[in-house]
Amino acid sequence: QVTLVESGGGLVQAGDSQRLSCAASGRTFDTYAMGWFRRAPGAEREFVAAIYWSGASTYYADSVKGRFTISKDNAKNTVYLQMNSLKPEDTAIYYCAAKDHFGTIRRRSDYPYWGQGTQVTVSS
């Protein structure tokens, strides 16, 4: 089992920056990549960004490309999401997720492990 704990959410103003953290524990050696997803009010949970534990490849949704940066600290089993130039439409619950070797990096259903989520609210 893998446990994921997010932190760093809160209320910010449009244009501000915020950093989310996700600490992984348990059988982390079973995980291959980490992702961030978000669910806005009334919407489906959507892919935001992802990174492999090995290598430097990163992946982003078009809506956040150039504003968000995903990074990792392998020694701490922690993944970060740096969010800059935040917009009101970025308001959502942000979830950290971990996947194994199977499936695709952007597909929500291919992530078997999920954190509890952290609320990010961007006021205009």
Side-chain angles (χ1 to χ4, degrees):
Q1 186 67 18
V2 176
T3 301
L4 304 174
V5 179
E6 303 100 333
S7 60
L11 174 65
V12 296
Q13 292 190 332
D16 284 352
S17 298
Q18 194 168 46
R19 190 177 81 157
L20 305 181
S21 300
C22 173
S25 61
R27 296 177 62 89
T28 55
F29 49 84
D30 284 343
T31 60
Y32 186 54
M34 300 291 292
W36 285 97
F37 291 76
R38 67 186 182 185
R39 182 171 60 85
E44 295 287 325
R45 195 175 300 192
E46 64 176 4
F47 171 80
V48 175
I51 189 169
Y52 289 104
W53 280 121
S54 62
S57 295
T58 56
Y59 304 83
Y60 296 96
D62 288 342
S63 58
V64 306
K65 198 174 296 183
R67 298 188 299 122
F68 291 11
T69 302
I70 188 171
S71 62
K72 60 187 171 71
D73 185 331
N74 291 61
K76 296 182 178 179
N77 287 329
T78 299
V79 174
Y80 306 96
L81 185 68
Q82 177 66 43
M83 305 183 293
N84 298 330
S85 302
L86 282 162
K87 305 174 181 180
E89 51 264 43
D90 294 318
T91 295
I93 300 174
Y94 284 72
Y95 298 89
C96 174
K99 70 181 303 297
D100 52 25
H101 287 71
F102 302 99
T104 61
I105 197 77
R106 298 174 184 267
R107 187 180 298 160
R108 179 184 64 194
S109 60
D110 287 338
Y111 286 76
Y113 308 109
W114 290 86
Q116 81 287 352
T118 184
Q119 177 71 48
V120 172
T121 303
V122 185
S123 64
S124 57

